[in-house]
């Protein structure tokens, strides 16, 4: 296509200034070579031909040939650009999610766990070049998905997270330690944990401080998020006869000092999410803080297009030479 044509030697286009000069020269030359003869009658010149009038066409062919040569000298070419991206600084991320019964509280809509899953899914989709894994914890913790580049696996596993898969409770130390275990052998340039909870550590056999020390030892940065409104929230308080939860108002208790200490010690940050909007903003902020470095390589392939112009110039000169030595021979 014409928009893909470029010229390697565009300076040669200045030679087109020769063409108008050549035209002026040709006009003056023709005037000098034109002779006049006065006769009393033209009856003896009954034979008529238009060849003399077509003679300037020979000069036009030369001009066109010269123009084609100038274009060829400018080296028209097409440019094909291909790109390849390479992740130069990969990030391995483990999202540690609290699935205790308090995550069913309705201060976030429709509840804390559902709101988190929606926001976490968006976060995962925005990290196409990173490996991501999932850890869930309540009274204990386990790996839902090891770190992987296959986002469809991670998103499917995230959608399957529900309450009731683990013994109830809030084992922050277990959630953090399990996450560290998934990342300790990672060779990624950056390793981070996003740990979310809505409560106070009250179970598990690994203390949060111990898990935090492990994260420091393996160079794993931890972002902590406290989830829950300030004050009271409509939360599960007991079971009904049919096994469903009975809801009532309960004070929101989050061990913010612990979460701040973990984040500070590991080089991360602590965030507090009190509603759906602030939860989204927190994950957006983390997404901005942890940038994956992408190196882009561009490959240029040029295809020379001057040959058709050279052939065109040669053809025009050949036609001009043939006409000059055949039809126009007696007029040259």
């Amino acid at each position: 296509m014409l928009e893909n044509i470029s010229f390697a030697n565009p300076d040669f286009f200045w030679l087109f200034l020769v063409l108008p000069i050549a035209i002026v020269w040709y006009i003056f030359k023709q005037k000098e070579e034109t002779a006049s003869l006065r006769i009393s009658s033209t009856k003896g010149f009954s034979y008529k031909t238009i060849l003399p009038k077509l003679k300037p066409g020979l000069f036009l062919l030369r001009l066109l040939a010269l123009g084609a040569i100038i274009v060829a000298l400018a080296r028209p070419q097409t440019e094909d650009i291909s790109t390849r991206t390479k992740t130069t600084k990969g990030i391995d991320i483990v999202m540690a999610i609290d699935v205790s019964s308090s995550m069913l509280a309705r201060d976030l809509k429709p509840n804390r766990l559902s709101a988190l899953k929606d926001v976490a899914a968006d976060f995962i989709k925005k990290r196409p070049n990173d490996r991501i894994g999932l850890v869930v914890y309540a009274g204990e913790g386990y790996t839902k998905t090891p770190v992987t580049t296959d986002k469809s696996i991670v998103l499917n596993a995230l959608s399957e997270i529900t309450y009731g898969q683990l013994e109830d409770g809030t084992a922050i130390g277990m959630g953090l330690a399990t996450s560290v275990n998934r990342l300790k052998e990672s060779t990624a340039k950056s390793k981070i944990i996003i740990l979310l909870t809505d409560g106070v550590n009250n179970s598990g056999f690994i203390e949060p401080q111990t898990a935090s020390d492990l994260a420091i030892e393996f160079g794993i940065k931890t972002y902590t998020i406290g989830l829950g409104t300030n004050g009271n929230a409509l939360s599960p308080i007991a079971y009904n006869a049919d096994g469903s939860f009975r809801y009532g108002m309960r004070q929101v208790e989050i061990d913010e000092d612990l979460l701040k200490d973990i984040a500070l010690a590991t080089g991360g940050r602590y965030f507090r999410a009190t509603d759906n909007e602030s939860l989204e903003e927190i994950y957006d902020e983390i997404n901005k803080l942890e940038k994956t470095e992408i190196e882009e390589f561009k490959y240029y392939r040029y295809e020379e297009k001057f040959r058709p112009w050279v052939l065109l110039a040669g053809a025009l000169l050949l036609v001009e030479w043939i006409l000059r030595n055949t039809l126009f021979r007696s007029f040259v």
Side-chain angles (χ1 to χ4, degrees):
M1 298 178 64
L2 291 178
E3 59 266 28
N4 293 328
I5 295 290
S6 60
F7 294 89
N9 301 319
D11 290 343
F12 277 98
F13 283 125
W14 286 103
L15 293 177
F16 275 111
L17 294 176
V18 174
L19 299 185
I21 297 174
I23 293 173
V24 173
W25 170 83
Y26 179 78
I27 292 173
F28 278 103
K29 182 181 178 183
Q30 288 301 107
K31 287 183 178 181
E32 291 178 359
E33 292 181 352
T34 301
S36 61
L37 176 65
R38 294 188 179 188
I39 59 176
S40 60
S41 175
T42 60
K43 290 182 178 179
F45 298 92
S46 58
Y47 176 75
K48 295 181 180 180
T49 178
I50 63 170
L51 289 180
K53 295 181 178 180
L54 295 178
K55 180 184 173 183
L58 298 177
F59 178 70
L60 178 61
L61 289 173
R62 286 192 177 186
L63 285 182
L64 292 176
L66 179 58
I69 291 173
I70 294 172
V71 174
L73 289 173
R75 283 182 59 196
Q77 54 189 209
T78 56
E79 181 182 69
D80 180 29
I81 304 175
S82 59
T83 60
R84 180 175 66 87
T85 58
K86 177 184 177 183
T87 303
T88 59
K89 185 182 179 183
I91 300 177
D92 280 358
I93 303 171
V94 168
M95 304 174 71
I97 300 173
D98 187 343
V99 292
S100 59
S101 58
S102 58
M103 285 292 289
L104 299 178
R106 296 172 179 171
D107 48 352
L108 276 73
K109 306 300 179 184
N111 58 51
R112 294 174 183 172
L113 184 57
S114 295
L116 169 65
K117 289 166 62 174
D118 289 342
V119 173
D122 288 337
F123 176 84
I124 292 168
K125 293 173 184 176
K126 293 176 182 177
R127 313 291 302 194
N129 301 298
D130 301 318
R131 299 200 309 166
I132 298 179
L134 297 177
V135 165
V136 294
Y137 69 96
E140 53 188 337
Y142 80 97
T143 300
K144 181 72 173 177
T145 305
V147 288
T148 176
T149 57
D150 192 334
K151 300 304 185 296
S152 62
I153 292 177
V154 182
L155 289 170
N156 185 60
L158 178 66
S159 67
E160 295 174 349
I161 294 177
T162 60
Y163 166 74
Q165 298 172 333
L166 294 170
E167 178 185 349
D168 202 11
T170 304
I172 295 175
M174 293 292 293
L176 181 56
T178 304
S179 301
V180 170
N181 191 50
R182 300 313 314 177
L183 291 173
K184 66 180 183 180
E185 296 180 358
S186 169
T187 58
K189 295 291 184 180
S190 181
K191 298 173 284 187
I192 71 170
I193 294 170
I194 304 175
L195 184 142
L196 180 141
T197 184
D198 66 345
V200 177
N201 186 69
N202 56 24
S203 58
F205 56 86
I206 298 179
E207 291 297 322
Q209 184 59 52
T210 302
S212 179
D213 291 340
L214 289 173
I216 296 171
E217 180 180 350
F218 291 106
I220 303 170
K221 185 189 300 183
T222 304
Y223 292 98
T224 56
I225 302 174
L227 182 62
T229 187
N230 294 310
N232 297 317
L234 189 63
S235 307
I237 56 174
Y239 285 102
N240 294 314
D242 59 1
S244 62
F245 277 115
R246 185 189 317 149
Y247 282 80
M249 298 304 293
R250 175 180 289 180
Q251 185 177 0
V252 176
E253 295 182 4
I254 300 174
D255 194 343
E256 291 194 284
D257 290 337
L258 172 63
L259 297 179
K260 289 177 181 177
D261 289 343
I262 293 173
L264 180 62
T266 60
R269 282 178 57 183
Y270 168 70
F271 300 92
R272 177 67 185 270
T274 57
D275 52 34
N276 293 60
E277 290 72 22
S278 60
L279 181 62
E280 292 176 8
E281 292 172 359
I282 288 168
Y283 274 88
D284 285 341
E285 179 68 16
I286 295 173
N287 185 47
K288 294 175 183 177
L289 290 171
E290 297 294 334
K291 289 293 185 182
T292 300
E293 294 180 7
I294 303 296
E295 188 173 12
E296 183 177 80
F297 298 90
K298 283 190 175 182
Y299 300 91
Y300 298 85
R301 185 173 66 86
Y302 298 96
E303 184 176 351
E304 298 290 345
K305 297 294 184 180
F306 68 87
R307 294 177 183 84
W309 293 95
V310 174
L311 294 175
L312 175 61
L316 290 170
L317 290 175
L318 178 61
V319 170
E320 190 269 346
W321 181 84
I322 293 173
L323 292 176
R324 181 178 295 273
N325 289 278
T326 55
L327 291 177
F328 294 93
R329 183 169 184 176
S330 60
F331 299 100
V332 177

